[in-house]
Amino acid sequence: MGTKRKSAPTPTRSRPAKRITRRDKNNDQEDSDDQLDCLPTPSRPTRRVQFSTASLPPPPVPYPSPSKPSLKNSTQLQTPSLSPPPRPASPTKKILGNLLPHHHDCLDDYKRAILHNLQSPDVVHEDDEDLNAPANLLASHHVTDLLRGTTERNEGNSCLLLGPRSSGKTRIIEDCVSQLPEQPIVVRLSGWIHQTDRLAMREIAYQLDQQTSSTLLQDIPGDPDEDENPFVSSESEAISGLDSIPTAHLHALISCIPTLPRSTIVILDAFDLFTLHPRQSLLYSLLDTVQSLRMGSGNKGLAVVGLTTRMDTINMLEKRVKSRFSGRMIRTATPRKIVEWINTARGILMPRHTGDDDRMEVEDESTFREMWNNRVEEFLSDNKTVRILEETFSITRDVRTLSRLLIQPILSLTPASPWLTSDQLEQSAVTQRIRPPYPYLHQLNYPSLCLLIASVHMEKTGYPAITFEMLHECVRDRIRTSSSAPIQLNGRSIGMTFETLISARMFVAVAGPSSTIGKEFVRYRCAVHRQDIKQAVEKCGQTNLKTWLSKGY
Amino acid sequence: MTTIAQVVSLIQLSSFPFIFVNDLTSARLTATSLIANLDAKQNIQTVRIDAIVCFTPRLIFDTVINGFTHWEPSWDDGCMNWSPDDQQLNKRYNDSLDAFLHGLKDMQSHLSKKNQIPPRMVLVVEYPERLKEGMPETLVPLTRLRELSNLDVTVVFVSAQRWEDIKPPLGAALDPYFVDMGIPTKEGEYAILLPLHRLTMFPAVMKQISSSFTDHLWSMPSSSSSPNPYHPVFQPLYVQYLSFVYDICHTFTDDPSEIGYIAAARWPGFVKPIIDGYKLRSEEAGPDEAIELEVPTTEFIMRLTRHFKPSLSAALEKLYPRHTNAADWAAANEPNESVLDQILGLPPSPTKSHHATDDEGMEEDELPQIQSSPTRPRSERIRSLHSASQPQTDYFLPLFSFNPNESSSSTPSSVALANTLPRISRFILISAFIASMNPAKSDLRMFGRGLDGKKRKRRVIRTKKQTKPTSGPAKIPQRYLGPALFPLDRLIAILGALLEENDAPDSEDMPDEFTIPGEYTDMEVRRVGIYASITQLTNLRLLVRTSPPERLDGPPMYKTGPGVASSYEDVSIIAKGLGITLSDLIWEREN
C-alpha cells in the first residue's frame, strides 16, 4: 500500500478499476459461452479462474515481488505510460546490477525459447487446447478417427480440412498422422508447387518410391497374381528414371496405391488450386480409387485429405469428382475470444522449457523465472498492451500476426533493459500490424520531396499522368523563385532522384516501356497518396516545402 | 527501428521462416552486410540470390544448392552441379520445385553428416520484385520454403520496394516479418568503421559509404617510402573526409554507395598535397634521415577541405548522373603540385592568393575554388567558369544522354552534335523538332507566305497561365508529352520554309527559270540528298520512323528521337548556331 501513496501510479490504478468490472462481465459471459460449446472438461473452471485473474489488470495490492528493488522497478515500469520517454533510470540499473550477471544467460535462453514458441505459436495453443480451441480439438478428433479407419480397417476416406489462415490445419493433420499407432505412407502435395497434374504425379511416384522402395521391390516377385502388377513394376522403373514414364501411365499408378504394403495418406495442401487443373484428373483418380476400395479384398487403405482456406472449394469440384468425394468437411478455427488471444500471448511469453537447463544453476533459473513471469503478467495487464492486443484481435485473428507483433519487443530485450514494455509493443504494432504505406517518407531527401510535391501540384492542375518533364519544370520554377532552397538545380541531376523513386515504385509507369519514347516523356502515376505526402512534409519540417505544398491546397 | 543486428539475432536465436527487409536507398549494401554478419555466426549458412542474375527458376535452384555446398562447377568435369555422391551423378535438382526440395533435403543430410548439427540455412534474395515479373510461380514457394521443405531454412527478401507491391494475390504467400531499414542518417546507429580503429565508433552510414568502394584498398600494403593514398596513417583523416563528403552530398542523395563512389573518386586527389609535401621533405632531407609520414595538423586539414569543397560539388554533378566515370573524373581533376603551395602558403587576403595562383600558372578552375568560402554557395559566374573549364575528354556524340546539361552554351552533347552533323541535317533536325512540338494547324500561321513573298505577320500567341480550369480533361502542353508524330511531307514543308527564310540563296545565284519566290528552295528540298539525310538521321535515332517500312499508303510518319533531339534546350542551341531563334517558331512555349 506504500506505493499507492505515491502520486504517479494513482491515475493508472484508477482507470483499471473500471476495467475490472467490465472485464469481469466478459469473463462470465465467456464461461457460459464455453459451456454451450459442450466440451466436458472438469478441470476447466478452476484453471479458467486462474487464467482470468492473471489476465486482469493488477489489483491494488501489488504482486508478491521477490525483492524490494523490483518493487521500485514496477513503479518505474508503469510510469512510462504516463510520461513518454522510457529511459532506464538508475534504479533499474541498480537492481540489474545485483541481479543480472548470472541472469544474462537466463535472458538469452528465454529469448531463444520465446522466439521458438513464436515460430509455431500453436504449440502453446495446443497446451491449452481444451480451453482455447474447441473447434480445432473436434477437428483433430475427427481427423484421427478418419485416419484410424484408414490405417486400421483399411477404409478409403476423403475429407476436406477447412479453416482460415494459420488456424492450425497443417498442424492438426501432422499431429494426427504422427500419433497413429501404425505409420502409414504419407504423400504430401502442395498446390503451390504442383501446378500441373504431371508434376503432382511425378512427386507422388517419388514419395512412394522413397517410402516403400525396399519393400516394394521385394514384394513384387512374391505376388504375381496381382492385377496391378504391371503398374507396380512400372513404378519400380520410375525409381530408375521418372522422366521415362509417359504421363498417361503415371495416372495408372494411383489405382495401384492400395496394393502397397501399408496404408497411404495423401495430404493435398492448397486443395483449391488442384481443382483448377484441367479436367481435375488427379483429383478424379485419387477420389475414384478411394471410393472403389472394398473391404476385405486384401488391399490397404487410402485417405485423401485436402487442406484449404477457401470455403467454396467443394463447389469448384466437377460433378464426377464431387460425387466421388465423401463430402466430409472438417473446420478449424482461430481463437474466438480475446481471453484466448491474450492467453496465447501469455503462453508464448512464458516458455516452459528454456534452452540448456543443465548449463545454468537451478536456483538462478527459478528466481529468474519467477521474476520473468511477474514481469510478463505486468506487461500483459498494462493498459496499453491490452489495448493493442484487443485492437489486433478485432482486426485479425491470425495467430501469426500476434507472434510477429511480439518478435520485436523480444528482440530488443538486452541486459540493460531486460523486461517487456508496452511501448515496444506499440512500436512493433506500427511496423508489423497495419503498416503505414511508406514509413520512411518524411526521411526522403529534399529533391525527392520536391518531386512528390510537384506531382501533387500537377495532379491538382489536372494532369493525373505525369512525365518527368512536367515535374522537372515545376521543381525548377519553384527553386528559381524561392530564395531559400537548400539545393540548386543545375542540369537535370534531379532525374537520378526520380529514378530512385521509380525503383521504389512511388512513381508507377502508366504504360509499358518503349524504345521510341525518351525517358523524360514516359508517363507515370504517383503511387503515394496526397495525404501521406502532406503528412511527410509536415513531419520533415522544411518550411520551404510546407509553404509550397500549401500553395496548392 | 529494427537494425541488421536484430535481424541477425532473430535468425541466430530462432529463425523466422520469412523476413522482408525494405531498404529504399541501399538494398545492396544491406544485403551484403547482413550476409557478412550471418556468415560470422556459427552454424549458419547463407546463400545470396540476385534475382537479376538468376532469371530462371533453374538458375535459382542451382545457385542455392551449389551455394550451400560451396560447390564450384568447373569446366573440366563438364560444369556439373553438386550431387551428394558419385553414384547419383545423373540426379538433377533443377528440373522443378520438387526436385529442388529433394535437393535441399539431400544437401541437408549431406551437410549434417559432415557437421553433426544440421546448419541453419538462410537464403537472401535481392531484387525480389524481379521474381514477380519474371517467374511468379517461384515467389509463393520461396516464401513458404520452410513448411514445404520441412527444413530449418529462412528466406530473407531485401528490396527497395514494399512487400505490398511484390506480394502475390489471394494471400498466397505467408506474411513476412517486416523490417524497415529506413534512410541512413548520420545520427543513426554507430558501427566500427575501419579495421584499425576498433575502439572508436562512427555513424553506420559512414561504414556503408566506406565499405562500398574503398574498404579493400586499406588492407593493401603500402610502403612508407612511396606512400599511396591508402596508407594506414591516413585512416583518421579518411574518417574526417568521409563525414565531410557526406555533409556535402546527402542533400542530393542518401545512397551510401553513390556517396562512396564520389568519395572514392576524390580521395586520391584529396591526399595528394600531403603526399607531395612528404615527397618534397624527403627530397630535401638527406638520404640518411628518415622522414615520418604523418597526419597533418588540424589547420592544414581545414585548408585542405576548404580547397576541395567546390570540387566535391562538381564531382557530385558529374558523377551522380554518371556523365563520366570516377576514374576519368579523378584523372581529369587531379590537383597539380602547386596546390600544396597554395594550401600551405595561403595568405589571409584573397587578392594575394589570386596573384599567387596567377604567377604559378595553375589550372584555371582552381582559382574560384579558393575564393569561395565554405559556407557561401558558389555564384552562377563561378559555376559557369567551372563548367567551362571542364575537360572536354568526353567529346563524343552522346546521342542518348538523358541528362543534357541545359545551363550553359558549352553543353558537350549539343555542341558535339552541332559540330558533327552537316548543316542541312541540322536544319532537318530543327524542322523535325518544330513539327513534333507544334500542332499542325499552326503551321500556316508560322510559316505561311503570300504569293508576294512577304511573310504574314504572325499573331503572337503565348499561352497564358490558365486562369480558370475549364471543364473536361485538361489539355496537356506538347512539351510535357514529348514529341508528336508528323508525316514526312510536313517535315519537308517546314524545312522548305525554314531554308527559305534563313538560308535563301541570293537572287543572282538562282537559276533564271525560277521566278516565284521560294520556288528554288522548294525544288532543293525535294532532292534525294534531303531524303538521304533524313534516313541518316533516322539511323542515328535522332529521328524515329514510327510507321512500318512496308506500308505504302500515306506518307511515312516520324517523330524526333529520344534524348538530344527532343530536348528544347539542345535543339535551340543547335538553332542558335544556324542563326534561328527557336522560341519564335514554337507555338506554345512559356519561357
Side-chain angles (χ1 to χ4, degrees), chain A residues 119 165 194 432 437 467 488, chain B residues 14 98 146 162 178 383:
Chain A
Q119 262 182 60
R165 298 174 73 189
H194 308 109
Q432 304 296 331
T467 60
Q488 281 175 327
Chain B
S14 182
D98 279 323
R146 167 158 322 166
R162 305 173 305 153
F178 294 103
R383 199 178 313 110

Side-chain angles (χ1 to χ4, degrees), chain B residues 95-115:
Chain B
D95 279 340
S96 62
L97 269 162
D98 279 323
F100 172 61
L101 293 179
H102 303 156
L104 276 182
K105 280 173 194 159
D106 287 355
M107 186 192 72
Q108 174 89 354
S109 56
H110 175 80
L111 288 179
S112 49
K113 250 185 254 164
K114 232 169 41 182
N115 301 351

